[in-house]
Amino acid sequence: MHEFREKITVAITGASGAPYALRLIECLVAANVQIYVLCSSAARVVLDTEVGVKIPGSPDGATQFLSEKFKARPSQITVFGKEQWFSPVASGSAAPKKMIVCPCSTGTLAAITLGMSDNLIERAADVVIKERGQLILVVRESPFSTIHLQNMLTLSQMGVTIMPAAPGFYHHPQSINDLIDFMVGRMLDHLSIEQSIIPRWGYQV
């Protein structure tokens, strides 16, 4: 069996920002991270709409599709369905200590804030919070309502990292991919994954 450096849960919801999710998975695969992927039905629609990627509806089909797309090692990527309650991410005794929701819809934000756990994404986030792990939410909406801001504040006070999908421009991006890499680079930084896809402030490229 191949030894992976660590396990990270990546959840994809129906907010705009599908390219961020795909680039993040690509970078985590390259970094030798084992990834548990949770993908909502709305996320599949957005992936098809924004980048023309059609992820199969079945967990096994989606696992094979993403593994082939990113040339992952055997068992490096595993996709779980929204009601696979016996998957590792649903239990505090087995879930990875790190989870990122990218992109994160404000509906998912609200459900996580209230501990709804009506699907596997919400349950996995609830597990990471209760186990005092690291949860990052790449929230995508504009403008934010007071409800959104209150939910983000509540989670931030619990130790959740709120990272809106708001790329900077000080690195003089020349393409959309540069903007995507800016955000994904920041995600990798917070996940403690070494990255070189964006230059450091104050350093020569």
Side-chain angles (χ1 to χ4, degrees), residues 19-20 22-28 30-31 171 173 175-189 193-200 205:
Y20 292 124
L22 296 179
R23 181 62 166 143
L24 175 62
I25 293 173
E26 180 182 24
C27 289
L28 291 176
H171 62 309
S175 67
I176 291 177
N177 286 338
D178 290 341
L179 295 173
I180 294 169
D181 278 356
F182 180 94
M183 282 306 309
V184 173
R186 297 297 290 133
M187 297 175 209
L188 296 171
D189 286 342
I193 304 293
E194 292 185 10
Q195 60 87 16
S196 59
I197 62 175
I198 59 169
R200 300 293 181 186
V205 179

Side-chain angles (χ1 to χ4, degrees), residues 23-168:
R23 181 62 166 143
L24 175 62
I25 293 173
E26 180 182 24
C27 289
L28 291 176
V29 167
N32 194 36
V33 172
Q34 189 174 26
I35 312 161
Y36 292 152
V37 177
L38 314 177
C39 185
S40 71
S41 299
R44 286 184 169 85
V45 174
V46 174
L47 281 159
D48 187 15
T49 301
E50 294 188 343
V51 290
V53 171
K54 299 180 184 294
I55 296 182
S58 71
D60 289 344
T63 296
Q64 181 178 352
F65 176 85
L66 291 176
S67 297
E68 292 176 354
K69 179 176 179 61
F70 296 112
K71 298 180 174 58
R73 296 177 177 87
S75 77
Q76 188 171 13
I77 295 177
T78 303
V79 179
F80 294 109
K82 66 179 181 179
E83 294 184 347
Q84 284 189 265
W85 303 113
F86 288 98
S87 63
V89 299
S91 172
S93 64
K97 297 300 183 183
K98 296 180 181 180
M99 176 178 177
I100 182 167
V101 185
C102 174
C104 180
S105 68
T106 52
T108 299
L109 168 72
I112 293 172
T113 304
L114 296 175
M116 299 296 289
S117 295
D118 283 339
N119 58 51
L120 194 58
I121 291 176
E122 296 166 13
R123 171 58 183 169
D126 190 46
V127 166
V128 173
I129 292 172
K130 79 182 183 70
E131 296 295 325
R132 300 291 194 259
Q134 181 186 19
L135 177 61
I136 300 173
L137 304 183
V138 184
V139 185
R140 221 307 304 176
E141 185 59 273
S142 184
F144 290 127
S145 73
T146 302
I147 295 172
H148 304 150
L149 294 169
Q150 287 177 335
N151 287 336
M152 286 187 276
L153 176 60
T154 297
L155 289 174
S156 179
Q157 291 172 332
M158 296 178 190
V160 175
T161 298
I162 305 299
M163 187 180 295

